[in-house]
Amino acid sequence: MQESCSLTVDTTLKNNHTDMKAYVSTLMGIPGKTVGTMFTPIKVEITSYEPERVGVETIKRGLNNPKRIINLVSELQHDGKVSADSTTGRYLLELVTGVPKIDPEAFEEMFNSNMKDLLMVVYLSNLTRTQLLISEKLTQFEGVRHN
């Protein structure tokens, strides 16, 4: 019997909340006879990366503003004032000036060469995946044919 997952999302925003429910569906019944599906609720856990969470929190702050306008706080404003550090400035200057200058045509040639290599790897991996799927289907077909 095959299982699958389903997710329902209630977007009516009752109580200012998007309700989500998840279910695992399982086929049930007598083989060759009536078959039904049973849905079993499972726990929904929402995870996110830090930038996503910050973005959603920023949007939520605009809900209370009638014009839906919010001011973003930059990291500099958030961290407060920091006095200048000449050592850090010199380090950054060395870092920026240390980048070698390269001829634009040579850069384009290197970039295109690397892009061709990458596309060839993607092509070969897709070809390998297709070959494996065909082999799997042929093996299944042979197993059915011998039974």
Side-chain angles (χ1 to χ4, degrees):
M1 300 213 170
Q2 188 175 2
E3 289 186 348
S4 65
C5 293
S6 300
L7 176 70
T8 61
V9 180
D10 180 11
T11 58
T12 59
L13 296 176
K14 293 179 184 171
N15 300 324
N16 290 328
H17 183 71
T18 302
D19 191 30
M20 287 186 260
K21 294 180 182 174
Y23 303 91
V24 173
S25 65
T26 306
L27 295 176
M28 56 183 281
I30 301 170
K33 301 284 181 179
T34 305
V35 177
T37 304
M38 180 175 71
F39 292 93
T40 306
I42 58 175
K43 182 181 176 186
V44 176
E45 184 177 320
I46 299 173
T47 59
S48 63
Y49 294 106
E50 183 68 17
E52 294 169 335
R53 189 188 60 73
V54 169
V56 171
E57 292 298 323
T58 302
I59 292 170
K60 284 173 60 176
R61 283 196 325 234
L63 290 175
N64 299 329
N65 187 326
K67 293 184 178 181
R68 304 286 192 247
I69 296 174
I70 57 168
N71 294 322
L72 298 177
V73 177
S74 73
E75 288 184 20
L76 292 175
Q77 291 170 332
H78 181 69
D79 292 340
K81 294 193 177 204
V82 178
S83 60
D85 182 8
S86 60
T87 307
T88 304
R90 286 188 184 104
Y91 177 74
L92 289 172
L93 179 64
E94 285 179 27
L95 190 66
V96 170
T97 57
V99 175
K101 292 185 179 183
I102 189 167
D103 181 46
E105 292 170 1
F107 176 77
E108 186 175 351
E109 185 178 324
M110 285 188 326
F111 181 79
N112 287 335
S113 175
N114 287 336
M115 185 61 70
K116 288 175 186 174
D117 292 344
L118 176 64
L119 290 174
M120 182 58 71
V121 169
V122 170
Y123 171 75
L124 290 174
S125 65
N126 285 335
L127 187 63
T128 303
R129 184 178 336 140
T130 303
Q131 184 67 32
L132 288 171
L133 287 172
I134 290 171
S135 175
E136 182 181 326
K137 295 294 181 186
L138 287 173
T139 304
Q140 287 176 354
F141 178 72
E142 286 293 318
V144 170
R145 196 173 80 165
H146 289 301
N147 288 336

